[in-house]
Amino acid sequence: MPQIKIRGIHENDICKISENMIDKLVEAVKCPRDYFEIECIKSVAIRDGKIADVYPFVEVAWFDRGQEVQDVVATIITDSIRNNLNIESMDLAFTVFEKEKYYENGEHF
């Protein structure tokens, strides 16, 4: 169920690291592999009236799994991207879903 939304990094580059990264995340989060989804979002950055490079940003949207697991997940994703794609700097943030506000096919969890 963890949704990993990535912008500012080309989808072909994410494909190169995705299998190994998900292997590590499955172990850390203790949920099935098919629960993970990676979405590469194409966006355009505008700075000072000009089109600019999009700063690498990752959002993990999920149900809370505690600070310890969150820290491990942040490290896995950051290291996978920075160490394998020659990206020096990036940001990562977590969005936490509340079960009573998350619906699947019209039913909340």
Side-chain angles (χ1 to χ4, degrees), residues 78-93:
T78 301
D79 288 352
S80 294
I81 291 171
R82 291 186 68 216
N83 295 341
N84 296 298
L85 299 180
N86 198 28
I87 291 175
E88 187 175 317
S89 183
M90 59 167 278
D91 287 350
L92 183 145

Side-chain angles (χ1 to χ4, degrees), residues 16 23 39 48 52-53 63 65 73-74 79 90 98-99 106:
K16 293 174 191 174
D23 287 344
E39 180 180 356
D48 296 323
D53 290 337
F63 292 109
R65 289 170 167 84
V73 167
D79 288 352
M90 59 167 278
E98 297 176 44
K99 288 185 179 186

Side-chain angles (χ1 to χ4, degrees), residues 2 11 14 21 30 55 59 63 70 85-86 89-90 98:
E11 61 265 24
I14 296 302
M21 182 173 73
K30 308 288 189 230
Y55 184 78
E59 176 190 2
F63 292 109
Q70 181 175 294
L85 299 180
N86 198 28
S89 183
M90 59 167 278
E98 297 176 44

Side-chain angles (χ1 to χ4, degrees), residues 60-109:
V60 179
W62 67 352
F63 292 109
D64 187 32
R65 289 170 167 84
Q67 188 67 52
E68 185 176 319
V69 173
Q70 181 175 294
D71 290 347
V72 170
V73 167
T75 298
I76 290 168
I77 294 171
T78 301
D79 288 352
S80 294
I81 291 171
R82 291 186 68 216
N83 295 341
N84 296 298
L85 299 180
N86 198 28
I87 291 175
E88 187 175 317
S89 183
M90 59 167 278
D91 287 350
L92 183 145
F94 289 84
T95 298
V96 177
F97 296 127
E98 297 176 44
K99 288 185 179 186
E100 62 277 358
K101 294 180 182 176
Y102 188 96
Y103 290 75
E104 183 175 346
N105 298 320
E107 300 289 327
H108 72 79
F109 278 51

